[in-house]
Amino acid sequence: MSSERALEILRSVFGYDRFRGDQAEIIDTLSGGQDALVLMPTGGGKSLCYQIPALIRPGVGIVVSPLIALMKDQVDAAAALGIRAACLNSTLGFREQQWIEEQLTRGELDLLYIAPERLLTDRMLELLGNAELALFAIDEAHCVSQWGHDFRPEYQQLSILHERFPGVPRVALTATADARTRGEIVAQLRLQRARQFVASFDRPNIRYAINDGQNPRARLWSFLEREHPEDAGIVYCLSRSKVESTAEWLAGKGRVALPYHAGLPAAARQRHQERFLREEGVIIVATIAFGMGIDKPDVRFVAHLSLPKSIEAYYQETGRAGRDGEPANAWMAYGLQDVISLRQMVESSTAPDAQKRIMQNKLQAMLGLCELSSCRRQALLAYFGETLAEPCGNCDNCLNPPQVWNGTEAARKALSCVYRTGQRFGVNYVIDVLIGKDDERIVNNRHNQLSTYGIGADISQNQWRSVFRQLITAGYLRADMERYGALTLTPESRPLLRGEIEVHFRKQTRPSKEKSVRKKIETVLENAADERLFERLREERLSIARELGVPPYVIFHDSTLREMAVQQPLTPEGLLQISGVGESKLEKFGEAFLAVIHEFQLMSQDG
Ligand code: ADP
Ligand code: ZN
């Protein structure tokens, strides 16, 4: 039976004990020649779902992926497992391509990664026609969607695979969850008869936290100091200039921090990405141009210094943390200016009205998540149509429930002050009037004579900013960027002004109150000796990785090294028991790591 064979491959090649979630059934479906559509969150274990059937079925598995820059790492990772893999894309020289094509024709490959534009050439289709094909895996399948931000026109032509190779099973895989995209994938790729596998999109090991308020940079720094003094992570910013300045600032603080955005030369982008993957503890500061398909498993944090445009984008970006299943942080800080500029970006977009409305709704949902005072995970999953029965206990709101206050009166003061100053001024000015500041401009405008002058003196300037942010976020006020951020009332303001509805605001979070996941990671290695051995094993891994020119995680994951440090196996058989050690890796790297453990034990006996 194919499922026994699959389990045997899982153990001997990958070194894992059991399948996760739907993996076994997906593998069965494909091995049996049927199509599948796989929706699984990042880190869910999608690659195995096509790698194992490609090994079970005769012929080569063709993997379509838009991620040319990462293909080499994917091939290296497969090779470390003893899988015969290669890639074909524009970065290869002619000789190399020819050689791979020969291997393909002779049936000497298990897996071939191809960029879609290459696959669609007549020449390639003909070559494939002459080879024995195990399956087609269409990775990052959401790229077919015109509405998504990863749209690739070539993906829409991939239906040709079904027409040219009707007998070859196809699997489309994506970590994008929404039903609309799923429908598009099915329609565009002709997957009407595919079995659909929709996994839970929950990522329980990721802790979500969203901070509001002043000085996001200082908050980021204290977060990094507290939780990730040495870890690799990603910091997302909205603009290129903010990316540059943030990377410089972090570097000035002594961290290895590299910028990444579409304005950098391709060579620099490539170099920074490589260092992020190959070295340890590197921080990438990036616009959303960075990250799709980054399968570095030990990204310990994703921090947002700017608001994402939608919950989909937020979830996808934060999903790059903790693919290895170990505790990770999704941390965000945002302020009033973010809300205003994003709103503005959407409003001034030249997209057709229908699409603009979608963008507006998506942004509104994102802002709602930010201002939420109940469990973030419940809200996130609900957005993707999933229900989480209980609050998660692993988000900021669960761990440290925010204080909520009835802001109805403050909101009415704010709105009427906007109204009485003529809907011509920005947030700072209106706040100055509210707190009754003695200011020349206010006197010249005679706004010191208004009934709203000084009626907000009982609330601090900072707190007012938070009130205005929440009013703008909730749509009770609008900031008009064409008029320098002048605040205007909206149709929603009226019932609030008339006292027909109440509003509640979150009190600002204080950084010192945030709780740490770091302790949880550290207690895994309670023993100081284990910790020392773990460090030694990491050094060994890094030196092997350097020698081979591959990312360290291609050798072994942290979790595998950690288990080695605790179990301290001294024989090849013992090493094989460790999760993540298969036969190929045992043969390639076993001796080196066993030597480290041996040496460590001898030294500790001496001491
Ligand atoms: P995705 O492509 O869905 O983001 P990957 O295929 O990269 O996820 O898998 C994420 C991590 O989980 C990888 O390090 C992989 O080796 C590991 N993994 C996958 N399946 C299993 C399993 N059955 N048991 C243990 N680890 C697994
Ligand atoms: Zn929660």
Side-chain angles (χ1 to χ4, degrees):
M1 227 175 87
S2 70
S3 47
E4 268 165 42
R5 177 92 181 93
L7 195 59
E8 187 196 316
I9 293 176
L10 180 76
R11 291 187 174 145
S12 65
V13 175
F14 293 87
Y16 297 139
D17 285 342
R18 60 188 73 85
F19 285 112
R20 282 188 190 155
D22 289 334
Q23 279 177 332
E25 260 193 88
I26 298 166
I27 291 169
D28 250 12
T29 303
L30 289 164
S31 304
Q34 233 193 307
D35 297 341
L37 172 63
V38 174
L39 285 84
M40 232 186 235
T42 310
K46 285 187 283 301
S47 337
L48 283 187
C49 296
Y50 57 82
Q51 287 173 332
I52 292 183
L55 293 174
I56 291 177
R57 288 175 65 87
V60 58
I62 305 294
V63 186
V64 187
S65 161
L67 309 163
I68 295 179
L70 300 169
M71 279 185 187
K72 188 181 169 297
D73 288 343
Q74 288 176 313
V75 169
D76 287 341
L81 294 167
I83 298 173
R84 300 172 303 170
C87 60
L88 276 179
N89 60 45
S90 48
T91 68
L92 299 182
F94 179 70
R95 280 280 159 74
E96 222 173 338
Q97 295 193 25
Q98 222 175 12
W99 186 60
I100 291 168
E101 288 178 9
E102 281 166 24
Q103 285 180 295
L104 169 69
T105 320
R106 288 199 300 259
E108 292 170 1
L109 290 175
D110 300 314
L111 281 176
L112 179 62
Y113 291 83
I114 311 186
E117 55 276 9
R118 164 67 56 107
L119 176 68
L120 291 164
T121 60
D122 290 338
R123 192 179 137 63
M124 197 66 226
L125 290 170
E126 202 179 305
L127 269 170
L128 292 182
N130 294 327
E132 186 169 22
L133 301 180
L135 56 85
F136 287 106
I138 300 163
D139 208 2
E140 312 288 349
H142 61 279
C143 290
V144 299
S145 167
Q146 287 195 43
W147 304 95
H149 42 71
D150 297 327
F151 177 51
R152 305 282 171 121
E154 315 85 49
Y155 260 69
Q156 298 197 331
Q157 296 165 43
L158 289 174
S159 59
I160 196 173
L161 298 178
H162 173 56
E163 289 143 28
R164 294 271 297 239
F165 309 97
V168 180
R170 294 171 303 144
V171 54
L173 309 103
T174 178
T176 303
D178 65 308
R180 181 201 185 107
T181 311
R182 195 190 317 170
E184 276 180 277
I185 295 173
V186 168
Q188 297 276 0
L189 298 178
R190 307 258 191 297
L191 283 169
Q192 286 83 354
R193 309 200 18 208
R195 268 190 75 182
Q196 295 198 9
F197 296 91
V198 183
S200 164
F201 270 73
D202 190 16
R203 301 285 308 279
N205 61 317
I206 297 183
R207 175 171 297 176
Y208 299 97
I210 300 179
N211 294 262
D212 46 47
Q214 307 293 300
N215 212 342
R217 258 195 192 176
R219 283 168 182 258
L220 174 65
W221 184 248
S222 76
F223 162 73
L224 292 178
E225 286 275 273
R226 195 176 61 242
E227 306 238 348
H228 302 289
E230 290 169 356
D231 293 329
I234 307 173
V235 177
Y236 282 110
C237 303
L238 197 59
S239 68
R240 294 172 189 186
S241 62
K242 193 163 169 185
V243 162
E244 296 278 353
S245 68
T246 304
E248 242 165 67
W249 165 75
L250 281 171
K253 290 246 182 202
R255 296 294 300 251
V256 180
L258 306 170
Y260 190 106
H261 57 72
L264 285 174
R269 285 208 306 268
Q270 176 73 14
R271 201 167 58 238
H272 293 174
Q273 176 169 312
E274 293 263 301
R275 287 190 60 189
F276 178 64
L277 297 176
R278 269 146 227 260
E279 294 174 22
E280 308 211 46
V282 174
I283 298 176
I284 279 274
V285 186
T287 56
I288 52 167
F290 180 78
M292 188 183 42
I294 292 292
D295 53 5
K296 184 176 165 61
D298 54 355
V299 175
R300 291 268 69 83
F301 69 89
V302 169
H304 279 92
L305 273 185
S306 302
L307 267 168
K309 289 192 199 102
S310 66
I311 290 184
E312 286 90 340
Y314 172 73
Y315 207 62
Q316 198 171 44
E317 285 151 24
T318 55
R320 292 174 184 136
R323 281 175 97 128
D324 54 12
E326 301 208 23
N329 275 302
W331 183 95
M332 178 160 112
Y334 75 107
L336 177 59
Q337 200 49 48
D338 284 314
V339 179
I340 294 178
S341 50
L342 259 189
R343 272 265 158 83
Q344 174 62 17
M345 246 166 93
V346 172
E347 268 174 37
S348 62
S349 138
T350 53
D353 279 354
Q355 193 179 352
K356 215 157 136 176
R357 256 194 313 278
I358 294 176
M359 286 161 71
Q360 261 153 359
N361 291 341
K362 290 193 166 184
L363 176 57
Q364 198 50 45
M366 182 64 221
L367 293 172
L369 177 72
C370 293
E371 304 291 353
L372 191 75
S373 34
S374 56
C375 176
R376 308 256 193 216
R377 192 181 314 270
Q378 278 182 319
L380 276 169
L381 291 172
Y383 183 80
F384 294 116
E386 253 185 75
T387 315
L388 185 67
E390 298 287 324
C392 75
N394 194 27
C395 73
D396 55 348
N397 288 349
C398 281
L399 291 163
N400 185 24
Q403 289 178 19
V404 178
W405 58 290
N406 186 332
T408 311
E409 201 186 311
R412 291 175 64 186
K413 286 178 182 171
L415 295 184
S416 71
C417 193
V418 167
Y419 181 71
R420 292 191 190 281
T421 51
Q423 308 189 59
R424 288 185 293 124
F425 297 91
V427 173
N428 292 334
Y429 184 90
V430 178
I431 291 178
D432 285 349
V433 174
L434 277 167
I435 59 181
K437 196 169 169 191
D438 182 15
D439 179 274
E440 208 183 308
R441 245 174 108 208
I442 294 179
V443 175
N444 289 344
N445 289 329
R446 300 196 174 192
H447 287 157
N448 56 341
Q449 292 165 21
L450 293 178
S451 60
T452 52
Y453 181 76
I455 54 166
D458 53 329
I459 294 181
S460 75
Q461 192 169 2
N462 264 350
Q463 235 182 327
W464 273 119
R465 282 188 74 83
S466 159
V467 166
F468 274 92
R469 192 197 68 242
Q470 297 186 59
L471 287 171
I472 294 171
T473 306
Y476 294 115
L477 279 176
R478 187 173 163 277
D480 185 349
M481 291 320 281
E482 248 109 76
R483 296 191 298 136
Y484 307 102
L487 295 172
T488 55
L489 301 183
T490 68
E492 284 74 36
S493 327
R494 217 163 289 142
L496 183 52
L497 267 173
R498 282 201 299 253
E500 290 164 14
I501 49 172
E502 295 206 327
V503 286
H504 294 267
F505 293 131
R506 279 173 68 102
K507 282 226 171 102
Q508 279 187 33
T509 41
R510 253 183 256 124
S512 58
K513 292 196 116 183
E514 292 162 21
K515 289 177 188 158
S516 171
V517 296
R518 210 180 140 66
K519 285 215 186 66
K520 223 162 129 187
I521 299 177
E522 276 173 352
T523 48
V524 179
L525 282 181
E526 278 166 9
N527 188 322
D530 295 350
E531 178 78 41
R532 280 204 309 280
L533 175 53
F534 176 62
E535 287 308 324
R536 278 289 303 114
L537 293 166
R538 274 168 64 113
E539 285 166 23
E540 184 64 32
R541 175 177 68 177
L542 194 58
S543 90
I544 298 177
R546 288 231 170 96
E547 211 169 291
L548 298 179
V550 300
Y553 60 80
V554 164
I555 314 289
F556 287 126
H557 285 184
D558 279 358
S559 53
T560 301
L561 296 189
R562 201 166 286 132
E563 206 180 314
M564 278 186 208
V566 175
Q567 305 291 344
Q568 309 200 357
L570 294 169
T571 61
E573 296 72 40
L575 202 55
L576 258 187
Q577 298 305 309
I578 307 280
S579 176
V581 185
E583 280 159 15
S584 165
K585 288 193 175 179
L586 176 69
E587 190 183 314
K588 291 191 174 78
F589 315 123
E591 212 172 310
F593 286 90
L594 284 173
V596 171
I597 299 172
H598 260 292
E599 189 189 340
F600 180 83
Q601 291 202 341
L602 284 176
M603 302 244 300
S604 7
Q605 275 160 18
D606 287 352

